[in-house]
């Protein structure tokens, strides 16, 4: 990240409103495809194909690799070498910034699996999470995880190395969860003129409402901590902290209205959504540990 004059971004201590955290992850299976396949099979004319015209066993099994994981960056104990799907299933523009830059989501893993969303940058000058996203775009994704990666939801601020978007709004005070006015344009936590006033916020709101992720992780800097949570959300935070060496310590001192992670928890009940405050810098080893932690908490029953 660029040098910050302030001591951290003071994010994430939004009210922990979730009490009912007992619901277990549900893996959604798309039954529509099965039904359609059955219907097609039923309507096909019966017994018109002489079985002798079909040569047996014409598919060479050697075209699909059995193992696709390069073990050099991630230990095999945390990344299951199971997928034979393309590395990137889909790249989608989910919106545009104030200055008309694309906000892009990359999809990897298993469609229909547990939906996990990772956002690398929301505050433009807190962008070390990009290194974690870059790793997650390359490593093998364990089976059963429908992984979506948004490298930056604030491309204008990232380019300018500014916390805000190009309207001088703190996007992490602009989400429609307890939104309230804070400051004036240019103030550190200026919340914008109204809830979800900013195109970047609107893009993410629409995307999350469509995606309905079970787990969302947001990277910030540079407080080097994770704010403790409760219930299932809190357990996953604790696990992530253990895996990465971040302490579970409260984030205090700011005004925490309009926070993205809070909005997700309230919108996707019982979804898990939390902020990871990286330190002022992120080494390659730390980035690797965070990428592994994402895939671990995404894969473990929790
Ligand atoms: Zn931040």
């Amino acid at each position: 990240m660029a040098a910050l004059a302030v001591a951290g971004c003071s994010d994430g201590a939004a009210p922990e409103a979730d009490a009912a955290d007992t619901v277990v992850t549900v893996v959604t299976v798309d039954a529509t495809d099965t039904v359609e396949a059955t219907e097609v099979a039923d309507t096909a004319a019966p017994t018109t194909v002489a079985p002798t015209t079909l040569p047996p066993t014409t598919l060479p099994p050697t075209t699909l690799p059995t193992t696709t994981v390069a073990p050099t960056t991630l230990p095999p104990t945390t990344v299951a070498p199971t997928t034979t799907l393309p590395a990137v299933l889909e790249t989608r523009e989910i919106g545009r910034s104030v200055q008309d830059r694309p906000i892009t989501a990359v999809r990897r893993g298993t469609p229909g699996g547990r939906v996990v969303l990772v956002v690398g940058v929301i505050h433009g000058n807190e962008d070390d999470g990009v290194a974690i996203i870059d790793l997650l775009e390359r490593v093998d994704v364990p089976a059963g995880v429908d992984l979506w990666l948004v490298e930056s939801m604030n491309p204008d601020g990232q380019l300018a190395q500014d916390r805000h978007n190009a309207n001088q709004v703190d996007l992490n005070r602009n989400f429609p969860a307890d939104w309230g006015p804070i400051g004036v344009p240019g103030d550190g936590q200026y919340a914008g003129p109204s809830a979800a006033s900013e195109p970047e916020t609107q893009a993410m709101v629409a995307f999350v409402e469509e995606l309905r992720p079970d787990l969302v992780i947001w990277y910030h800097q540079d407080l080097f901590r994770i704010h403790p949570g409760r219930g299932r959300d809190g357990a996953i935070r604790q696990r992530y902290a253990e895996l990465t060496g971040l302490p579970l310590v409260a984030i205090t001192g700011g005004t925490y209205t309009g926070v993205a992670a809070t909005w997700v928890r309230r919108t996707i009940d019982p979804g898990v959504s939390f902020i990871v405050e990286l330190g002022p810098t992120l080494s390659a080893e730390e980035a690797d540990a965070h990428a592994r932690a994402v895939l671990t908490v995404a894969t473990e029953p929790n």
Side-chain angles (χ1 to χ4, degrees):
M1 70 181 288
L4 273 181
V6 297
C9 84
S10 301
D11 273 321
E16 305 297 326
D18 307 327
D21 290 308
T22 56
V23 179
V24 178
T25 303
V26 175
V27 176
T28 303
V29 177
D30 187 351
T32 307
D33 292 343
T34 305
V35 173
E36 289 174 350
T38 304
E39 289 170 349
V40 169
D42 290 345
T43 55
T47 66
T48 57
V49 176
T52 54
T53 60
L54 295 177
T57 64
T58 56
L59 291 179
T62 55
T63 55
L64 293 179
T66 54
T67 57
T68 58
V69 167
T72 52
T73 55
L74 294 178
T77 52
T78 56
V79 180
T82 51
T83 180
T84 55
L85 293 168
V88 172
L89 304 177
E90 180 181 348
T91 300
R92 188 193 302 185
E93 181 179 305
I94 65 171
R96 312 280 293 192
S97 67
V98 170
Q99 295 176 338
D100 203 33
R101 293 188 174 89
I103 301 169
T104 304
V106 170
R107 186 184 199 182
R108 306 194 62 217
T110 308
R114 182 187 187 186
V115 179
V116 175
L117 170 63
V118 187
V119 181
V121 182
I122 178 169
H123 287 147
N125 60 343
E126 303 169 8
D127 59 358
D128 279 357
V130 168
I132 302 166
I133 300 292
D134 286 348
L135 281 174
L136 291 171
E137 288 180 349
R138 299 200 307 268
V139 299
D140 202 34
V141 178
V145 179
D146 193 350
L147 180 65
W148 288 87
L149 305 168
V150 174
E151 181 171 290
S152 175
M153 67 162 285
N154 184 7
D156 298 345
Q158 189 183 354
L159 186 67
Q161 284 296 295
D162 185 358
R163 172 185 179 92
H164 312 88
N165 75 347
N167 287 335
Q168 291 303 299
V169 174
D170 182 341
L171 294 175
N172 208 33
R173 301 295 181 275
N174 190 240
F175 277 72
D178 295 332
W179 182 89
I182 305 173
V184 297
D187 284 353
Q189 298 181 13
Y190 173 53
S194 60
S197 59
E198 303 309 299
E200 297 90 350
T201 310
Q202 293 163 13
M204 188 58 72
V205 164
F207 184 55
V208 167
E209 286 181 340
E210 177 197 333
L211 204 63
R212 301 197 67 78
D214 182 62
L215 168 63
V216 186
I217 296 174
W218 309 80
Y219 289 110
H220 288 257
Q221 289 175 270
D222 53 1
L223 299 178
F224 197 71
R225 68 187 60 183
I226 295 176
H227 186 84
R230 297 186 301 195
R232 175 171 171 256
D233 180 90
I236 295 176
R237 294 183 192 211
Q238 182 173 0
R239 178 68 171 137
Y240 189 101
E242 291 169 357
L243 291 166
T244 57
L246 287 180
L248 271 178
V249 177
I251 301 169
T252 59
T255 302
Y256 302 115
T257 54
V259 172
T262 308
W263 174 80
V264 171
R265 286 199 303 278
R266 294 183 182 180
T267 303
I268 317 291
D269 186 17
V272 171
S273 173
F274 61 92
I275 285 171
V276 174
E277 281 276 358
L278 306 169
T281 60
L282 187 74
S283 69
E285 292 75 16
E286 288 171 323
D288 202 61
H290 280 272
R292 285 201 309 271
V294 168
L295 298 178
T296 299
V297 298
T299 308
E300 289 178 342
N302 53 43

PDB file of all heavy atoms in Angstrom, residues 200-225:
ATOM      1  N   GLU A 200     -19.958   2.490  -7.466  1.00  0.00           N
ATOM      2  CA  GLU A 200     -19.210   1.305  -7.014  1.00  0.00           C
ATOM      3  C   GLU A 200     -20.023   0.522  -5.972  1.00  0.00           C
ATOM      4  O   GLU A 200     -20.061  -0.710  -5.976  1.00  0.00           O
ATOM      5  CB  GLU A 200     -17.864   1.727  -6.420  1.00  0.00           C
ATOM      6  CG  GLU A 200     -16.909   2.415  -7.421  1.00  0.00           C
ATOM      7  CD  GLU A 200     -17.080   3.929  -7.474  1.00  0.00           C
ATOM      8  OE1 GLU A 200     -18.063   4.442  -6.893  1.00  0.00           O
ATOM      9  OE2 GLU A 200     -16.214   4.598  -8.084  1.00  0.00           O
ATOM     10  N   THR A 201     -20.655   1.261  -5.053  1.00  0.00           N
ATOM     11  CA  THR A 201     -21.501   0.612  -4.055  1.00  0.00           C
ATOM     12  C   THR A 201     -22.681  -0.077  -4.726  1.00  0.00           C
ATOM     13  O   THR A 201     -23.027  -1.227  -4.407  1.00  0.00           O
ATOM     14  CB  THR A 201     -22.016   1.648  -3.044  1.00  0.00           C
ATOM     15  OG1 THR A 201     -20.914   2.417  -2.560  1.00  0.00           O
ATOM     16  CG2 THR A 201     -22.725   0.977  -1.883  1.00  0.00           C
ATOM     17  N   GLN A 202     -23.312   0.628  -5.666  1.00  0.00           N
ATOM     18  CA  GLN A 202     -24.467   0.052  -6.356  1.00  0.00           C
ATOM     19  C   GLN A 202     -24.082  -1.234  -7.089  1.00  0.00           C
ATOM     20  O   GLN A 202     -24.846  -2.210  -7.093  1.00  0.00           O
ATOM     21  CB  GLN A 202     -25.035   1.073  -7.341  1.00  0.00           C
ATOM     22  CG  GLN A 202     -25.639   2.292  -6.663  1.00  0.00           C
ATOM     23  CD  GLN A 202     -25.829   3.468  -7.627  1.00  0.00           C
ATOM     24  OE1 GLN A 202     -25.729   3.313  -8.849  1.00  0.00           O
ATOM     25  NE2 GLN A 202     -26.096   4.635  -7.073  1.00  0.00           N
ATOM     26  N   ALA A 203     -22.908  -1.233  -7.690  1.00  0.00           N
ATOM     27  CA  ALA A 203     -22.457  -2.425  -8.412  1.00  0.00           C
ATOM     28  C   ALA A 203     -22.303  -3.598  -7.459  1.00  0.00           C
ATOM     29  O   ALA A 203     -22.750  -4.721  -7.740  1.00  0.00           O
ATOM     30  CB  ALA A 203     -21.135  -2.138  -9.125  1.00  0.00           C
ATOM     31  N   MET A 204     -21.690  -3.355  -6.312  1.00  0.00           N
ATOM     32  CA  MET A 204     -21.456  -4.447  -5.376  1.00  0.00           C
ATOM     33  C   MET A 204     -22.755  -4.916  -4.731  1.00  0.00           C
ATOM     34  O   MET A 204     -22.968  -6.123  -4.513  1.00  0.00           O
ATOM     35  CB  MET A 204     -20.452  -4.008  -4.307  1.00  0.00           C
ATOM     36  CG  MET A 204     -19.987  -5.125  -3.403  1.00  0.00           C
ATOM     37  SD  MET A 204     -19.203  -6.514  -4.279  1.00  0.00           S
ATOM     38  CE  MET A 204     -17.646  -5.767  -4.755  1.00  0.00           C
ATOM     39  N   VAL A 205     -23.649  -3.987  -4.431  1.00  0.00           N
ATOM     40  CA  VAL A 205     -24.946  -4.368  -3.853  1.00  0.00           C
ATOM     41  C   VAL A 205     -25.700  -5.282  -4.821  1.00  0.00           C
ATOM     42  O   VAL A 205     -26.216  -6.345  -4.439  1.00  0.00           O
ATOM     43  CB  VAL A 205     -25.766  -3.112  -3.508  1.00  0.00           C
ATOM     44  CG1 VAL A 205     -27.235  -3.460  -3.288  1.00  0.00           C
ATOM     45  CG2 VAL A 205     -25.191  -2.432  -2.264  1.00  0.00           C
ATOM     46  N   ALA A 206     -25.772  -4.877  -6.074  1.00  0.00           N
ATOM     47  CA  ALA A 206     -26.497  -5.694  -7.053  1.00  0.00           C
ATOM     48  C   ALA A 206     -25.836  -7.056  -7.231  1.00  0.00           C
ATOM     49  O   ALA A 206     -26.509  -8.084  -7.330  1.00  0.00           O
ATOM     50  CB  ALA A 206     -26.565  -4.959  -8.392  1.00  0.00           C
ATOM     51  N   PHE A 207     -24.519  -7.059  -7.239  1.00  0.00           N
ATOM     52  CA  PHE A 207     -23.785  -8.309  -7.436  1.00  0.00           C
ATOM     53  C   PHE A 207     -24.010  -9.263  -6.267  1.00  0.00           C
ATOM     54  O   PHE A 207     -24.292 -10.455  -6.458  1.00  0.00           O
ATOM     55  CB  PHE A 207     -22.296  -7.992  -7.607  1.00  0.00           C
ATOM     56  CG  PHE A 207     -21.439  -9.181  -7.910  1.00  0.00           C
ATOM     57  CD1 PHE A 207     -21.717  -9.994  -8.985  1.00  0.00           C
ATOM     58  CD2 PHE A 207     -20.345  -9.474  -7.113  1.00  0.00           C
ATOM     59  CE1 PHE A 207     -20.915 -11.103  -9.270  1.00  0.00           C
ATOM     60  CE2 PHE A 207     -19.547 -10.569  -7.391  1.00  0.00           C
ATOM     61  CZ  PHE A 207     -19.839 -11.384  -8.469  1.00  0.00           C
ATOM     62  N   VAL A 208     -23.898  -8.751  -5.055  1.00  0.00           N
ATOM     63  CA  VAL A 208     -24.076  -9.614  -3.874  1.00  0.00           C
ATOM     64  C   VAL A 208     -25.519 -10.102  -3.782  1.00  0.00           C
ATOM     65  O   VAL A 208     -25.772 -11.260  -3.432  1.00  0.00           O
ATOM     66  CB  VAL A 208     -23.648  -8.861  -2.602  1.00  0.00           C
ATOM     67  CG1 VAL A 208     -24.122  -9.588  -1.344  1.00  0.00           C
ATOM     68  CG2 VAL A 208     -22.132  -8.690  -2.573  1.00  0.00           C
ATOM     69  N   GLU A 209     -26.463  -9.240  -4.105  1.00  0.00           N
ATOM     70  CA  GLU A 209     -27.867  -9.671  -4.036  1.00  0.00           C
ATOM     71  C   GLU A 209     -28.142 -10.777  -5.044  1.00  0.00           C
ATOM     72  O   GLU A 209     -28.966 -11.659  -4.806  1.00  0.00           O
ATOM     73  CB  GLU A 209     -28.789  -8.477  -4.261  1.00  0.00           C
ATOM     74  CG  GLU A 209     -28.829  -7.543  -3.050  1.00  0.00           C
ATOM     75  CD  GLU A 209     -29.755  -6.357  -3.237  1.00  0.00           C
ATOM     76  OE1 GLU A 209     -30.075  -6.049  -4.409  1.00  0.00           O
ATOM     77  OE2 GLU A 209     -30.143  -5.742  -2.226  1.00  0.00           O
ATOM     78  N   GLU A 210     -27.464 -10.738  -6.172  1.00  0.00           N
ATOM     79  CA  GLU A 210     -27.631 -11.813  -7.158  1.00  0.00           C
ATOM     80  C   GLU A 210     -26.866 -13.069  -6.734  1.00  0.00           C
ATOM     81  O   GLU A 210     -27.383 -14.181  -6.797  1.00  0.00           O
ATOM     82  CB  GLU A 210     -27.127 -11.352  -8.526  1.00  0.00           C
ATOM     83  CG  GLU A 210     -27.212 -12.462  -9.573  1.00  0.00           C
ATOM     84  CD  GLU A 210     -26.352 -12.182 -10.798  1.00  0.00           C
ATOM     85  OE1 GLU A 210     -26.107 -10.997 -11.099  1.00  0.00           O
ATOM     86  OE2 GLU A 210     -25.929 -13.158 -11.438  1.00  0.00           O
ATOM     87  N   LEU A 211     -25.647 -12.860  -6.283  1.00  0.00           N
ATOM     88  CA  LEU A 211     -24.761 -13.982  -5.964  1.00  0.00           C
ATOM     89  C   LEU A 211     -25.168 -14.692  -4.682  1.00  0.00           C
ATOM     90  O   LEU A 211     -25.057 -15.906  -4.579  1.00  0.00           O
ATOM     91  CB  LEU A 211     -23.337 -13.430  -5.815  1.00  0.00           C
ATOM     92  CG  LEU A 211     -22.155 -14.353  -6.025  1.00  0.00           C
ATOM     93  CD1 LEU A 211     -22.160 -14.858  -7.469  1.00  0.00           C
ATOM     94  CD2 LEU A 211     -20.851 -13.610  -5.727  1.00  0.00           C
ATOM     95  N   ARG A 212     -25.636 -13.942  -3.705  1.00  0.00           N
ATOM     96  CA  ARG A 212     -25.991 -14.442  -2.372  1.00  0.00           C
ATOM     97  C   ARG A 212     -24.877 -15.339  -1.807  1.00  0.00           C
ATOM     98  O   ARG A 212     -25.090 -16.527  -1.498  1.00  0.00           O
ATOM     99  CB  ARG A 212     -27.329 -15.157  -2.394  1.00  0.00           C
ATOM    100  CG  ARG A 212     -28.467 -14.260  -2.864  1.00  0.00           C
ATOM    101  CD  ARG A 212     -29.822 -14.784  -2.525  1.00  0.00           C
ATOM    102  NE  ARG A 212     -30.071 -14.800  -1.068  1.00  0.00           N
ATOM    103  CZ  ARG A 212     -30.395 -13.735  -0.340  1.00  0.00           C
ATOM    104  NH1 ARG A 212     -30.512 -12.553  -0.902  1.00  0.00           N
ATOM    105  NH2 ARG A 212     -30.615 -13.842   0.948  1.00  0.00           N
ATOM    106  N   PRO A 213     -23.698 -14.773  -1.643  1.00  0.00           N
ATOM    107  CA  PRO A 213     -22.573 -15.583  -1.160  1.00  0.00           C
ATOM    108  C   PRO A 213     -22.767 -16.018   0.287  1.00  0.00           C
ATOM    109  O   PRO A 213     -23.376 -15.317   1.094  1.00  0.00           O
ATOM    110  CB  PRO A 213     -21.387 -14.623  -1.287  1.00  0.00           C
ATOM    111  CG  PRO A 213     -21.992 -13.258  -1.206  1.00  0.00           C
ATOM    112  CD  PRO A 213     -23.337 -13.375  -1.866  1.00  0.00           C
ATOM    113  N   ASP A 214     -22.197 -17.166   0.590  1.00  0.00           N
ATOM    114  CA  ASP A 214     -22.235 -17.682   1.956  1.00  0.00           C
ATOM    115  C   ASP A 214     -21.088 -17.123   2.788  1.00  0.00           C
ATOM    116  O   ASP A 214     -21.156 -17.103   4.010  1.00  0.00           O
ATOM    117  CB  ASP A 214     -22.146 -19.207   1.937  1.00  0.00           C
ATOM    118  CG  ASP A 214     -22.240 -19.805   3.327  1.00  0.00           C
ATOM    119  OD1 ASP A 214     -23.293 -19.615   3.965  1.00  0.00           O
ATOM    120  OD2 ASP A 214     -21.265 -20.440   3.777  1.00  0.00           O
ATOM    121  N   LEU A 215     -20.047 -16.679   2.101  1.00  0.00           N
ATOM    122  CA  LEU A 215     -18.864 -16.159   2.791  1.00  0.00           C
ATOM    123  C   LEU A 215     -18.269 -15.029   1.956  1.00  0.00           C
ATOM    124  O   LEU A 215     -18.046 -15.207   0.757  1.00  0.00           O
ATOM    125  CB  LEU A 215     -17.832 -17.292   2.971  1.00  0.00           C
ATOM    126  CG  LEU A 215     -16.420 -16.902   3.406  1.00  0.00           C
ATOM    127  CD1 LEU A 215     -16.438 -16.269   4.791  1.00  0.00           C
ATOM    128  CD2 LEU A 215     -15.501 -18.130   3.404  1.00  0.00           C
ATOM    129  N   VAL A 216     -18.048 -13.886   2.602  1.00  0.00           N
ATOM    130  CA  VAL A 216     -17.426 -12.743   1.925  1.00  0.00           C
ATOM    131  C   VAL A 216     -16.277 -12.245   2.791  1.00  0.00           C
ATOM    132  O   VAL A 216     -16.440 -12.056   4.003  1.00  0.00           O
ATOM    133  CB  VAL A 216     -18.418 -11.591   1.671  1.00  0.00           C
ATOM    134  CG1 VAL A 216     -17.750 -10.496   0.832  1.00  0.00           C
ATOM    135  CG2 VAL A 216     -19.678 -12.097   0.983  1.00  0.00           C
ATOM    136  N   ILE A 217     -15.130 -12.040   2.171  1.00  0.00           N
ATOM    137  CA  ILE A 217     -13.956 -11.534   2.875  1.00  0.00           C
ATOM    138  C   ILE A 217     -13.520 -10.241   2.196  1.00  0.00           C
ATOM    139  O   ILE A 217     -13.407 -10.178   0.964  1.00  0.00           O
ATOM    140  CB  ILE A 217     -12.822 -12.576   2.869  1.00  0.00           C
ATOM    141  CG1 ILE A 217     -13.253 -13.817   3.659  1.00  0.00           C
ATOM    142  CG2 ILE A 217     -11.536 -11.983   3.458  1.00  0.00           C
ATOM    143  CD1 ILE A 217     -12.258 -14.966   3.597  1.00  0.00           C
ATOM    144  N   TRP A 218     -13.284  -9.214   3.028  1.00  0.00           N
ATOM    145  CA  TRP A 218     -12.902  -7.883   2.535  1.00  0.00           C
ATOM    146  C   TRP A 218     -11.530  -7.527   3.106  1.00  0.00           C
ATOM    147  O   TRP A 218     -11.347  -7.505   4.326  1.00  0.00           O
ATOM    148  CB  TRP A 218     -13.906  -6.827   3.019  1.00  0.00           C
ATOM    149  CG  TRP A 218     -15.348  -7.141   2.763  1.00  0.00           C
ATOM    150  CD1 TRP A 218     -16.154  -7.973   3.497  1.00  0.00           C
ATOM    151  CD2 TRP A 218     -16.181  -6.603   1.713  1.00  0.00           C
ATOM    152  NE1 TRP A 218     -17.420  -7.984   2.956  1.00  0.00           N
ATOM    153  CE2 TRP A 218     -17.463  -7.160   1.869  1.00  0.00           C
ATOM    154  CE3 TRP A 218     -15.937  -5.709   0.663  1.00  0.00           C
ATOM    155  CZ2 TRP A 218     -18.523  -6.853   1.010  1.00  0.00           C
ATOM    156  CZ3 TRP A 218     -16.990  -5.397  -0.188  1.00  0.00           C
ATOM    157  CH2 TRP A 218     -18.262  -5.961  -0.013  1.00  0.00           C
ATOM    158  N   TYR A 219     -10.585  -7.183   2.236  1.00  0.00           N
ATOM    159  CA  TYR A 219      -9.245  -6.828   2.724  1.00  0.00           C
ATOM    160  C   TYR A 219      -9.112  -5.318   2.895  1.00  0.00           C
ATOM    161  O   TYR A 219      -9.525  -4.521   2.038  1.00  0.00           O
ATOM    162  CB  TYR A 219      -8.173  -7.352   1.771  1.00  0.00           C
ATOM    163  CG  TYR A 219      -8.074  -8.851   1.841  1.00  0.00           C
ATOM    164  CD1 TYR A 219      -8.508  -9.639   0.780  1.00  0.00           C
ATOM    165  CD2 TYR A 219      -7.589  -9.481   2.984  1.00  0.00           C
ATOM    166  CE1 TYR A 219      -8.441 -11.027   0.849  1.00  0.00           C
ATOM    167  CE2 TYR A 219      -7.522 -10.861   3.063  1.00  0.00           C
ATOM    168  CZ  TYR A 219      -7.952 -11.622   1.997  1.00  0.00           C
ATOM    169  OH  TYR A 219      -7.901 -12.997   2.080  1.00  0.00           O
ATOM    170  N   HIS A 220      -8.515  -4.975   4.035  1.00  0.00           N
ATOM    171  CA  HIS A 220      -8.172  -3.587   4.362  1.00  0.00           C
ATOM    172  C   HIS A 220      -6.762  -3.567   4.930  1.00  0.00           C
ATOM    173  O   HIS A 220      -6.140  -4.596   5.151  1.00  0.00           O
ATOM    174  CB  HIS A 220      -9.151  -3.027   5.414  1.00  0.00           C
ATOM    175  CG  HIS A 220     -10.528  -2.743   4.907  1.00  0.00           C
ATOM    176  ND1 HIS A 220     -10.981  -1.477   4.616  1.00  0.00           N
ATOM    177  CD2 HIS A 220     -11.565  -3.575   4.646  1.00  0.00           C
ATOM    178  CE1 HIS A 220     -12.222  -1.535   4.193  1.00  0.00           C
ATOM    179  NE2 HIS A 220     -12.619  -2.800   4.208  1.00  0.00           N
ATOM    180  N   GLN A 221      -6.277  -2.374   5.197  1.00  0.00           N
ATOM    181  CA  GLN A 221      -5.016  -2.159   5.909  1.00  0.00           C
ATOM    182  C   GLN A 221      -5.196  -0.938   6.821  1.00  0.00           C
ATOM    183  O   GLN A 221      -6.083  -0.120   6.584  1.00  0.00           O
ATOM    184  CB  GLN A 221      -3.897  -1.871   4.892  1.00  0.00           C
ATOM    185  CG  GLN A 221      -3.497  -3.110   4.068  1.00  0.00           C
ATOM    186  CD  GLN A 221      -2.488  -2.800   3.000  1.00  0.00           C
ATOM    187  OE1 GLN A 221      -2.871  -2.466   1.877  1.00  0.00           O
ATOM    188  NE2 GLN A 221      -1.211  -2.873   3.351  1.00  0.00           N
ATOM    189  N   ASP A 222      -4.317  -0.755   7.771  1.00  0.00           N
ATOM    190  CA  ASP A 222      -3.174  -1.602   8.056  1.00  0.00           C
ATOM    191  C   ASP A 222      -3.125  -1.957   9.543  1.00  0.00           C
ATOM    192  O   ASP A 222      -2.076  -1.932  10.166  1.00  0.00           O
ATOM    193  CB  ASP A 222      -1.885  -0.895   7.639  1.00  0.00           C
ATOM    194  CG  ASP A 222      -1.776   0.502   8.262  1.00  0.00           C
ATOM    195  OD1 ASP A 222      -2.694   0.903   9.019  1.00  0.00           O
ATOM    196  OD2 ASP A 222      -0.773   1.192   8.014  1.00  0.00           O
ATOM    197  N   LEU A 223      -4.297  -2.269  10.095  1.00  0.00           N
ATOM    198  CA  LEU A 223      -4.403  -2.466  11.542  1.00  0.00           C
ATOM    199  C   LEU A 223      -3.924  -3.845  12.018  1.00  0.00           C
ATOM    200  O   LEU A 223      -3.829  -4.071  13.222  1.00  0.00           O
ATOM    201  CB  LEU A 223      -5.852  -2.254  11.996  1.00  0.00           C
ATOM    202  CG  LEU A 223      -6.410  -0.855  11.726  1.00  0.00           C
ATOM    203  CD1 LEU A 223      -7.866  -0.772  12.168  1.00  0.00           C
ATOM    204  CD2 LEU A 223      -5.579   0.203  12.456  1.00  0.00           C
ATOM    205  N   PHE A 224      -3.668  -4.766  11.066  1.00  0.00           N
ATOM    206  CA  PHE A 224      -3.145  -6.093  11.389  1.00  0.00           C
ATOM    207  C   PHE A 224      -3.995  -6.789  12.468  1.00  0.00           C
ATOM    208  O   PHE A 224      -3.535  -7.117  13.550  1.00  0.00           O
ATOM    209  CB  PHE A 224      -1.677  -5.987  11.852  1.00  0.00           C
ATOM    210  CG  PHE A 224      -0.960  -7.317  11.800  1.00  0.00           C
ATOM    211  CD1 PHE A 224      -0.630  -7.917  10.593  1.00  0.00           C
ATOM    212  CD2 PHE A 224      -0.621  -7.981  12.967  1.00  0.00           C
ATOM    213  CE1 PHE A 224       0.013  -9.143  10.552  1.00  0.00           C
ATOM    214  CE2 PHE A 224       0.028  -9.217  12.934  1.00  0.00           C
ATOM    215  CZ  PHE A 224       0.341  -9.790  11.729  1.00  0.00           C
ATOM    216  N   ARG A 225      -5.219  -7.024  12.134  1.00  0.00           N
ATOM    217  CA  ARG A 225      -6.116  -7.698  13.074  1.00  0.00           C
ATOM    218  C   ARG A 225      -7.410  -8.107  12.383  1.00  0.00           C
ATOM    219  O   ARG A 225      -7.698  -7.662  11.275  1.00  0.00           O
ATOM    220  CB  ARG A 225      -6.451  -6.771  14.255  1.00  0.00           C
ATOM    221  CG  ARG A 225      -7.300  -5.577  13.864  1.00  0.00           C
ATOM    222  CD  ARG A 225      -7.464  -4.602  15.003  1.00  0.00           C
ATOM    223  NE  ARG A 225      -6.174  -4.076  15.453  1.00  0.00           N
ATOM    224  CZ  ARG A 225      -6.027  -3.243  16.478  1.00  0.00           C
ATOM    225  NH1 ARG A 225      -7.098  -2.872  17.174  1.00  0.00           N
ATOM    226  NH2 ARG A 225      -4.838  -2.794  16.808  1.00  0.00           N
TER     227      ARG A 225
END
